[in-house]
Amino acid sequence: MHMRQQGKAREVKGDTAIVGFTRSEACEGCNACRLSGKDDMLVSIKNTLGAQKGDIIEVELEAKRLLSAGAWAYLFPLLMIFAGLAIGHFTAAALGLDKDMFAAICSLLMLGVAFIALRLMNRRFASQAGYSPVMCGIITIDE
């Protein structure tokens, strides 16, 4: 299953098009695209169809991959927080430290590690097919 969305080519730089999308109900709660305003999203997409500035472009994103990336983005940091709490709680006694305070510090450290790991994984996801939007058609051309 694929999610399809139409947007307008705002800018074309070499083989990349900057496409603007109006935020729809399907986008609520999802931050797969960078926000450029309250109701507007800008996404860099490989210009495989030779789109020009002003063209209305249809793009698609594989829903399964989007859900997978969303699970990583939300569940991985949560699991790292719990791991930090457990590590902090059990090692605090051995170190003679306050369990609650050390557990909180460890959970924050693990959250930081999770965000760094996600940042590195984001580069990998962006280079893999299916994790980035793909042009699938040009609808109209503004004159």
Side-chain angles (χ1 to χ4, degrees):
M1 180 176 191
H2 298 296
M3 290 181 54
R4 289 185 175 229
Q5 185 76 6
Q6 292 179 5
K8 186 174 187 176
R10 301 276 177 88
E11 191 175 341
V12 176
K13 296 178 184 176
D15 67 343
T16 302
I18 308 297
V19 182
F21 297 95
T22 301
R23 199 164 169 80
S24 67
E25 287 183 24
C27 297
E28 289 300 319
C30 173
N31 292 314
C33 305
R34 293 175 294 169
L35 295 179
S36 64
K38 183 178 179 187
D39 297 322
D40 204 22
M41 297 178 288
L42 290 180
V43 180
S44 295
I45 301 173
K46 189 164 180 78
N47 191 0
T48 56
L49 302 177
Q52 300 296 316
K53 183 176 180 178
D55 288 352
I56 304 299
I57 299 168
E58 187 171 39
V59 299
E60 71 179 11
L61 183 63
E62 194 175 321
K64 180 180 175 182
R65 299 283 183 140
L66 182 62
L67 291 173
S68 170
W72 275 104
Y74 291 103
L75 296 179
F76 182 63
L78 186 63
L79 291 173
M80 292 296 278
I81 288 171
F82 286 124
L85 287 171
I87 290 167
H89 180 77
F90 292 113
T91 58
L95 298 174
L97 300 171
D98 179 71
K99 287 182 181 180
D100 293 336
M101 182 62 73
F102 195 65
I105 291 169
C106 285
S107 68
L108 290 175
L109 288 173
M110 292 298 278
L111 182 61
V113 168
F115 284 129
I116 291 168
L118 285 173
R119 183 83 167 155
L120 296 173
M121 289 171 61
N122 184 44
R123 292 181 187 147
R124 192 189 85 193
F125 283 146
S127 67
Q128 288 183 353
Y131 283 103
S132 295
V134 177
M135 283 188 187
C136 58
I138 297 176
I139 308 300
T140 61
I141 300 174
D142 286 346
E143 300 287 328

